[in-house]
Amino acid sequence: MEVDCETPTKGEEEEKRKPIVVILVGAPGSGKSTFCNHVMRVSTRPWVRVCQDTIGNGKAGTKTQCLMSAASALKAGKSVFIDRCNLDREQRLDFVNIGGPQVDVHAVVLDLPAKLCVSRSVKRTGHEGNLQGGKAAAVVNRMLQKKELPKLSEGFARIMLCQNESDVQVAINMYNALGPLDTLPSGYFGQKNPAANIQLGIMKFLKKVDGPSRAGSDANVPQDSIANRISKENDRLPEGPDNGSASLGHAVNNVTDGEELEMGSPGGTVSSCNVPTLAFPSISTADFQFNIEKASDIIVEKVEEFVKKLGDARLVLVDLSHKSKILTLVRIKATQKNIDSSKFHTFVGDITRLSSEGGLRCNVIANAANWRLKPGGGGVNASIFSAAGAALETATKERAVSLTPGKAVIVPLPSTSPLFSREGVTHVIHVLGPNMNPQRPNCLSNDYIKGCEILREAYSSIFESFASIVRTPKNLSMESYEKQVSGLSDSQNHFEISPMDQFLNSELKFKREGVHESGGNKKWKPLQDELGSNSRNSKNRENNPNSEKNGGSMTKSWGFWAQALYRIAMFPERHKNDVIEISDDVVVLNDLYPKAQKHLVVMARAEDLDCLADVREEHLQLLRTMNTMGLKWAEKFLSEHETLVFRLGYHTAPSMRQLHLHVISQDFDSVHLKNKRHWNSFNSPFFRDSIDVIEEVVKHGKATLKDDDRFLSMELRCHRCRSAHPNIPRLKTHISKCRAPFPAVLLQPGHLVCARTSDGLVQ
């Protein structure tokens, strides 16, 4: 057996891994438990949640018990969430010191409005600590008045302050993406307001007591000239005792704030909008020596024009230095124009690390390219080509070989690029601006009439390119968009997710969160090269206008990524390394992201049979063949693992084209089973037993379909005893021990396949 010497062994990885203790700080109702559950469901890093409300065998325990549990998890090499209120320094102290120098200690402060915390606490039911109903308001009010915001001097390596739900989502996304060996930059992240140490309690809100009014506070302040304000701001450096190591990135979400700081400073704030975002540099003002004053006017002019056309999307001007004059000029002029700060703001940081080090999620970045569209030179162009790797240069050559000033070219970023996998960037827009540097080609010799015309055209080209990506995300196919969404499972995509929703959720997709029906894995790359357009379906729609009335799936437009199974079914000989059995009627392959110990799919080798909606009486023999093949493989697995139990069935509305039968063991022991949709797609009426489908086609000529989104959002219940559980980790713990009989409906003949009947099962 060959071993890749460059790949670390499991032991070496564990040795390099540095556990993290995340101390959640927040009042009841601030969302601490929800935060943990979101991260534990998605993250590949092993996490343990220590909650004092349940530490004592499901009941409230003590701080000492929490410390012991956390220490045990750290010893096992796992990272830990401390799910307590931790609102004062004394409560946090022991947890900060629990791991010593071998552990990174973070604080995530959920400093949400008191009204929101109380509203959640009062309305919730079944709370683990029984803090709900009328008594919750008084408890939250009392706790908030004793709150002490954490400081780096307490011993924290990192503090992230979340003051609204968008900030919380940014923090969740950041920890979701944290792999077993990854680290986060140190420092204080978030806007720290010294005057907000104690929020107004809910009782004061109910009495409508307002804080000090700021109305008119600036009325008598003389307005400085822009030049003076730039001078003052560029002379001011971040200060403060809590300023940790200088981390990249500072978003100015409110362009009236009058500050341009690094995110590692006390005043830093992480941009938190989860919307399609274009990050772009100032074009031509560095190496091409374009006048900064004129350039800032053009940026603001074009931003003002385009923010009205982009809907919910946003634009972010990025520069590496907090002393950037162009950022300050643009920010001040944008303020004067009253440009919506949720649609446009400035950001200090490395444009190639905005997500991983700055918390700013950007789907698209613009590059100030050279006319040859080559790597090299300096500044932004060299940085982007270097960060994106050879994949960007190759993809660029396929699109264009050169650029003329003012023009732009869109390059979908291959999933093999580090910018895609690490930062979630799906596209790079190359643009060439006007040149005023006599040492560079095409110098305009200070002809600013022509230069301003070209620069306006350059920004228009960037923003129009971004608009085309946002408005028609289907154009993200081939090497980028299709690979993002290809990681989704049947159970995630059954409900026709809109292209825009898929685009907005791409930060999870580049982590390959999904299950088998995927073209994003390297193993499946040859499949994508073969996939063509859905011309057959288009033709059928033209020839059969009544197809929708007939209940078939011909009216469904199967995306590029959704046709991988179809190609395997039609041309299995090309995929011999992936399929495990081929016959005249069916093809069998293992699920790429199994949801149980044993999980495979049996695909029909028939045209015009995309899903259950297409099944008719003439397909009965094929359904029986698929069922027989599924039983054959289930029995093969049982001969090797006789304690397993299998179920055969179809998803009511799969996202992948080509009818396929799931053969899945009922242990559901898999790291790929991560969320409620995964579970309910196999344990709700959304999953139709093969034997029932055959019977319905015999009786009615077609299958009864129950395509209801509510099935996938049902509460989590054990598939044996039907007990309810709050999250996937708790459910998995339960089902690993549950030995209750299966529900009566599954004990009917033909529904479960097993080697023995000690549990009362029917073979």
Side-chain angles (χ1 to χ4, degrees):
M1 179 178 179
E2 296 183 359
V3 178
D4 185 352
C5 61
E6 295 183 358
T7 302
T9 65
K10 183 177 179 181
E12 290 172 339
E13 288 185 350
E14 291 177 350
E15 184 177 344
K16 293 179 182 178
R17 180 189 302 155
K18 194 172 185 180
I20 297 173
V21 172
V22 178
I23 299 176
L24 293 159
V25 179
S30 59
K32 298 184 296 297
S33 298
T34 301
F35 186 103
C36 297
N37 292 338
H38 275 301
V39 175
M40 293 174 70
R41 184 172 64 234
V42 173
S43 177
T44 57
R45 173 182 283 263
W47 288 96
V48 171
R49 172 181 171 240
V50 176
C51 176
Q52 191 163 328
D53 289 332
T54 59
I55 196 71
N57 293 322
K59 298 181 180 180
T62 65
K63 180 180 179 181
T64 301
Q65 288 176 297
C66 292
L67 287 165
M68 292 175 62
S69 179
S72 176
L74 291 172
K75 187 176 181 181
K78 298 180 179 179
S79 295
V80 179
F81 285 116
I82 306 298
D83 186 357
R84 302 168 72 248
C85 291
N86 298 306
L87 285 170
D88 62 73
R89 179 168 184 161
E90 182 179 353
Q91 287 292 324
R92 298 188 289 262
L93 183 60
D94 290 332
F95 293 102
V96 171
N97 297 324
I98 190 172
Q102 300 306 315
V103 175
D104 276 339
V105 182
H106 299 180
V108 174
V109 186
L110 305 181
D111 192 33
L112 303 186
K115 289 180 71 173
L116 177 61
C117 295
V118 169
S119 175
R120 289 175 175 175
S121 299
V122 170
K123 293 179 181 179
R124 64 191 179 187
T125 59
H127 180 247
E128 294 170 330
N130 199 32
L131 183 60
Q132 56 198 38
K135 67 178 182 180
V139 172
V140 173
N141 180 66
R142 182 175 67 251
M143 295 181 110
L144 283 176
Q145 294 186 44
K146 297 180 180 180
K147 178 186 67 180
E148 295 177 79
L149 291 179
K151 299 180 180 180
L152 293 172
S153 57
E154 293 180 36
F156 291 103
R158 175 187 177 89
I159 298 174
M160 191 165 187
L161 182 63
C162 305
Q163 295 185 301
N164 54 57
E165 292 183 88
S166 295
D167 290 345
V168 175
Q169 188 59 52
V170 168
I172 289 174
N173 292 343
M174 199 168 291
Y175 282 94
N176 280 348
L178 198 61
L181 304 180
D182 295 337
T183 60
L184 290 175
S186 300
Y188 197 111
F189 298 78
Q191 187 174 4
K192 183 178 179 182
N193 182 359
N197 191 48
I198 299 176
Q199 287 191 38
L200 288 175
I202 188 61
M203 302 308 177
K204 294 182 180 180
F205 275 116
L206 295 176
K207 294 177 182 178
K208 298 183 179 180
V209 177
D210 295 324
S213 174
R214 295 184 61 188
S217 61
D218 297 328
N220 298 320
V221 178
Q223 295 294 316
D224 292 335
S225 67
I226 290 179
N228 287 339
R229 293 177 68 179
I230 292 173
S231 178
K232 289 180 181 180
E233 295 197 24
N234 286 343
D235 287 341
R236 183 170 64 239
L237 293 175
E239 297 177 346
D242 289 339
N243 187 14
S245 61
S247 302
L248 294 176
H250 167 65
V252 182
N253 289 320
N254 187 340
V255 292
T256 65
D257 286 343
E259 291 189 83
E260 203 77 66
L261 306 174
E262 291 184 307
M263 195 174 73
S265 71
T269 177
V270 179
S271 174
S272 57
C273 295
N274 187 23
V275 296
T277 300
L278 166 70
F280 65 98
S282 174
I283 305 300
S284 293
T285 54
D287 197 33
F288 285 175
Q289 300 178 4
F290 200 94
N291 180 274
I292 291 177
E293 185 75 39
K294 296 179 186 296
S296 62
D297 285 335
I298 292 173
I299 292 173
V300 174
E301 171 194 328
K302 287 300 176 181
V303 165
E304 184 180 28
E305 175 186 342
F306 274 87
V307 290
K308 301 173 183 178
K309 303 177 181 180
L310 291 175
D312 292 332
R314 67 176 173 174
L315 308 173
V316 182
L317 177 64
V318 177
D319 197 286
L320 192 60
S321 171
H322 70 274
K323 287 189 174 184
S324 167
K325 291 185 178 181
I326 189 70
L327 289 193
T328 307
L329 274 169
V330 167
R331 180 168 47 79
I332 293 171
K333 292 177 180 181
T335 302
Q336 294 173 343
K337 293 282 189 179
N338 294 317
I339 295 176
D340 186 350
S341 62
S342 68
K343 299 293 184 63
F344 170 70
H345 62 71
T346 58
F347 194 95
V348 175
D350 183 342
I351 198 169
T352 66
R353 292 183 174 273
L354 293 177
S355 178
S356 62
E357 296 188 0
L360 177 66
R361 180 72 175 89
C362 296
N363 311 91
V364 184
I365 60 175
N367 175 37
N370 53 50
W371 72 273
R372 295 174 300 171
L373 291 174
K374 294 287 187 180
V380 171
N381 182 65
S383 177
I384 289 178
F385 269 104
S386 175
L392 175 59
E393 186 176 1
T394 301
T396 300
K397 288 179 181 178
E398 294 174 357
R399 297 280 168 160
V401 294
S402 65
L403 269 183
T404 56
K407 303 301 182 182
V409 60
I410 303 173
V411 178
L413 199 59
S415 60
T416 54
S417 167
L419 270 184
F420 183 100
S421 59
R422 184 189 68 230
E423 304 297 323
V425 175
T426 63
H427 290 73
V428 173
I429 301 173
H430 295 303
V431 66
L432 181 63
N435 176 38
M436 295 296 177
N437 184 350
Q439 305 299 320
R440 299 295 181 191
N442 303 316
C443 178
L444 296 178
S445 301
N446 286 324
D447 182 355
Y448 274 97
I449 294 177
K450 185 174 182 179
C452 288
E453 180 183 342
I454 293 175
L455 190 59
R456 286 188 178 92
E457 183 183 6
Y459 281 110
S460 293
S461 298
I462 294 173
F463 298 155
E464 286 170 356
S465 297
F466 177 55
S468 71
I469 295 170
V470 171
R471 290 171 183 166
T472 56
K474 63 185 178 181
N475 292 337
L476 308 187
S477 61
M478 302 302 292
E479 283 292 326
S480 180
Y481 175 67
E482 300 298 355
K483 287 193 176 183
Q484 288 181 58
V485 297
S486 68
L488 292 170
S489 65
D490 264 0
S491 54
Q492 287 172 305
N493 268 333
H494 76 284
F495 53 88
E496 285 301 298
I497 299 177
S498 71
M500 179 55 72
D501 285 340
Q502 292 169 331
F503 185 78
L504 295 180
N505 289 323
S506 64
E507 65 268 17
L508 294 182
K509 310 310 177 288
F510 77 81
K511 290 283 292 178
R512 298 193 317 165
E513 213 288 307
V515 290
H516 89 278
E517 294 164 348
S518 165
N521 190 286
K522 291 181 181 179
K523 171 181 175 182
W524 294 70
K525 188 178 185 303
L527 307 183
Q528 295 189 321
D529 297 333
E530 297 178 4
L531 299 185
S533 65
N534 194 20
S535 58
R536 181 181 66 84
N537 281 359
S538 301
K539 183 177 180 180
N540 282 338
R541 284 195 294 273
E542 294 172 2
N543 296 335
N544 186 7
N546 297 320
S547 59
E548 183 173 9
K549 294 179 182 180
N550 295 337
S553 68
M554 296 177 189
T555 57
K556 178 172 180 174
S557 179
W558 297 99
F560 179 90
W561 57 272
Q563 301 190 58
L565 293 185
Y566 169 75
R567 281 297 185 189
I568 296 176
M570 295 299 104
F571 308 103
E573 64 280 356
R574 301 178 186 176
H575 311 290
K576 292 181 179 179
N577 293 332
D578 300 312
V579 301
I580 57 178
E581 184 168 356
I582 305 172
S583 73
D584 291 339
D585 299 312
V586 300
V587 173
V588 184
L589 71 159
N590 286 310
D591 193 300
L592 186 59
Y593 291 89
K595 296 299 185 291
Q597 288 188 45
K598 299 295 181 181
H599 184 184
L600 55 77
V601 291
V602 179
M603 295 184 296
R605 298 188 65 187
E607 290 280 2
D608 300 323
L609 196 59
D610 294 345
C611 59
L612 277 183
D614 297 325
V615 171
R616 293 296 181 266
E617 190 172 359
E618 60 266 27
H619 301 123
L620 259 176
Q621 185 55 49
L622 178 57
L623 293 178
R624 291 186 174 117
T625 299
M626 294 174 70
N627 188 75
T628 300
M629 182 65 75
L631 288 172
K632 168 188 169 181
W633 276 93
E635 290 166 359
K636 181 180 185 300
F637 291 142
L638 287 170
S639 66
E640 301 167 355
H641 307 277
E642 63 177 14
T643 59
L644 295 178
V645 177
F646 286 88
R647 191 176 174 194
L648 282 61
Y650 302 88
H651 285 149
T652 299
S655 62
M656 300 296 291
R657 174 185 173 193
Q658 199 61 22
L659 182 70
H660 54 279
L661 173 73
H662 289 270
V663 180
I664 183 168
S665 60
Q666 297 300 285
D667 52 88
F668 294 104
D669 181 10
S670 170
V671 295
H672 301 298
L673 197 154
K674 297 181 178 180
N675 57 48
K676 183 180 289 187
R677 284 186 175 136
H678 288 172
W679 176 261
N680 284 329
S681 68
F682 291 99
N683 293 283
S684 76
F686 184 76
F687 190 74
R688 302 299 322 284
D689 286 279
S690 175
I691 194 72
D692 291 340
V693 169
I694 292 173
E695 184 177 347
E696 288 171 357
V697 174
V698 169
K699 290 183 178 180
H700 309 295
K702 62 181 181 179
T704 302
L705 302 182
K706 300 177 181 180
D707 183 12
D708 193 329
D709 288 354
R710 291 175 296 178
F711 291 142
L712 298 192
S713 60
M714 292 167 57
E715 63 183 341
L716 294 168
R717 289 189 173 275
C718 174
H719 60 313
R720 283 177 173 261
C721 67
R722 306 303 297 164
S723 59
H725 300 273
N727 53 51
I728 286 291
R730 293 275 289 274
L731 175 64
K732 284 186 172 182
T733 299
H734 168 80
I735 63 177
S736 67
K737 302 174 183 177
C738 183
R739 294 296 179 266
F742 283 91
V745 65
L746 293 182
L747 293 176
Q748 297 175 10
H751 288 74
L752 294 175
V753 183
C754 61
R756 53 187 181 185
T757 58
S758 60
D759 288 328
L761 304 177
V762 179
Q763 192 169 343

